[in-house]
Amino acid sequence: MADRRTTVLLSVLLFASAAAFVEELDDSFMETKGDDEIWLIKFYAPWCTFCKQLDPVWHQIGSEYRSLGSPVHVGKSDATANTGLAKEFRVRTYPAILMLKKNIKYNYSGVRTKDGIMDFANRIAGPLVRSLSSVQLFQHAMSRHDVMFVYVGATSPLKGNYTSVAEQLIVHTYFFSTSRDVLPKAVSLSTLPAVVVFKDGTYFTYSEERDGDLKLWINRERFPNFSQIDSYTLYAMGETGKLVLLALVEEKHLCEESLRYKSLLESVAAEHREIYSREMYFGFMAGSDYISGLVMGEIIVPTFIVVNLSNDGYFLPPGTVQTEQNLLDFLDGVLNGSMQGHGGNGALQRVRRLVYDTRVTLAPVFSHAPLLGCFLVAFPLTIGACFCYLCFKARPTVVDEDGTPLLAPPLGGHKKSKKKSD
C-alpha cells in the first residue's frame, strides 16, 4: 500500500514539475513577449476532451525543451477566456497548435504526438534554409529525412525563389542548400544552380519547363512515392490536388491477400513512377474506418481505392484485382475518365453525408441510452413542427370583395370580381 502511495505521489510531482515548464498565456501576451522570442502555443477549451488528452504530451514537450536549453518557449492559453489572443491567432478549432517566430504565425495540422509536434517546432525554430557544408552533414541529413529538398549552387534568382517557397512551406518540410562538391559523385546535374529532391532511394531535378511553378512542384514532391498513410497524411496529400491510390489492409496481422495487395501496389509505384507520379500518390492504410466514413459505407479489406480529396470523390475497381495489368487498367480508367466515380461534394451528396454523420453520431447514443437518443431526435423535430405551425397560423387572412375569407391569394394576384347587374 505504501509503495502504491509513493508511486502516485511521484507521478503527481513529475506532472507538476513538467507543467511548470509550460506557461499560461493571456491576452497581454503579444505586448509582453520579446521581439526575438520563439513560442510554441496550444490553444484549448476547458470542456474539450482532445485538449485534455494532449496535456501530458504538451507538458513533456515543455520539459524536454527546457532541459535541452532550447530557444523555444512552450505555452498554452484558454481560448474561451483569452478571446483577444485567440482572435489574434485566428483560432477556430480546439486544440489549436501554432508557433510564433518574428511575428509570423505557423499553424500545425499534423498528428498530435510528441515527435510530430517537436519535429514541426524544430523545423520552424531553425534556419529557413539549412546549409550542408560538408559530406558528413549531407549524409547525416539524408539518413534522417525520407524526402529532402536541396538547392545546389551559388546565389541566383532561383535561390531567391527557393527561399521564398521555403517561407511558405517550412510548416511541411525541411529545406537545405549545399555546393556541388558535397553531393555524392553519382548525382549528375547538367546545369547549376539546381533544385534537387532526394527520395525513394534516388533523386529528381526540378525543371521549370517540365515541372512548372517551383512551389507547386515542391508541394507535389514532398511525400514519398510509396509509404504508409494515416488520416493526417492523406488529408495533406489531398491539399496538393493529387489523387491517392490506397491499398486498405488490416491494422494488425496482415493476411496473405493483404500482403499481395501491398506488394503489388509498391511494385506499380516504383516501376511506373514516370507515368503516374505527376497525378497520383501511392500508399497503404491500416484499417478502413477513415475511408468508410468517406464512402459512407462499410469497406471490406483488403481492397484498392483511389481517393480524390479535393472533392471527396473516390473510385473503386470494377472487379477483383489479380494482376499488375488489372491495377494499371484501373488507374488508366480513373485518369482518362472512363472509370465511374463515386461520392463528391454536390448538394445531394452533402445531404447524404449529413444524414450519415447524424446516424453514426446517434447510433452509440441509442445503443447505450435509448431514452436520451429519442430525446435528441424528437426535440429538434418538435421545435421544427412548432415553428411551421406558428408560421402557418401567423399568415394574414385574405378576404374576397364580398367578404368571403380565402386560405391563400390566388396565383397571379387577386382577380377582380364581376360587378353584379341590377
Side-chain angles (χ1 to χ4, degrees), residues 255-303:
C255 68
E256 184 177 342
E257 188 71 353
S258 291
L259 292 171
R260 186 181 72 82
Y261 271 48
K262 181 181 171 184
S263 176
L264 179 60
L265 183 56
E266 186 171 12
S267 174
V268 168
E271 295 177 12
H272 301 273
R273 184 190 187 282
E274 292 298 324
I275 300 174
Y276 298 110
S277 64
R278 291 182 61 83
E279 306 288 341
M280 194 171 294
Y281 294 115
F282 300 86
F284 67 97
M285 177 176 280
S288 61
D289 291 346
Y290 184 84
I291 299 300
S292 292
L294 176 68
V295 306
M296 295 182 286
E298 192 67 29
I299 292 289
I300 300 175
V301 297
T303 190

Side-chain angles (χ1 to χ4, degrees), residues 317-338:
T320 304
V321 178
Q322 294 289 351
T323 65
E324 180 176 308
Q325 190 57 50
N326 292 152
L327 185 55
L328 293 176
D329 291 341
F330 171 51
L331 293 183
D332 292 338
V334 170
L335 295 179
N336 64 30
S338 63

Side-chain angles (χ1 to χ4, degrees), residues 17-86:
S17 175
F21 300 130
V22 177
E23 299 186 40
E24 190 74 37
L25 309 178
D26 57 27
D27 282 340
S28 65
F29 167 72
M30 295 300 290
E31 288 73 34
T32 58
K33 71 172 185 62
D35 292 338
D36 296 327
E37 290 180 352
I38 303 172
W39 282 87
L40 176 64
I41 307 171
K42 178 190 75 171
F43 287 90
Y44 67 93
W47 44 261
C48 172
T49 303
F50 296 110
C51 300
K52 294 175 183 177
Q53 292 174 350
L54 185 59
D55 277 343
V57 172
W58 206 251
H59 294 141
Q60 290 174 23
I61 292 172
S63 176
E64 185 156 336
Y65 273 136
R66 184 65 63 90
S67 65
L68 292 172
S70 170
V72 177
H73 302 269
V74 181
K76 62 178 182 177
S77 179
D78 182 350
T80 63
N82 305 298
T83 55
L85 187 59

Side-chain angles (χ1 to χ4, degrees), residues 149-152 158-159 162 189 191 193-197 204-207 214 217-218:
F149 293 97
V150 183
Y151 173 84
V152 185
L158 179 60
K159 186 172 185 179
Y162 180 76
L189 300 178
T191 59
V195 176
V196 186
V197 57
F204 307 95
T205 305
Y206 165 72
S207 166
L214 178 62
W217 178 76
I218 290 177

Side-chain angles (χ1 to χ4, degrees), residues 3 7 100 203 210 224 229 263 292 321 355-356 365 375 377 403:
D3 291 341
T7 302
L100 181 68
Y203 67 94
R210 180 188 66 237
I229 299 173
S263 176
S292 292
V321 178
V355 173
Y356 174 83
V365 177
F375 173 77
V377 172

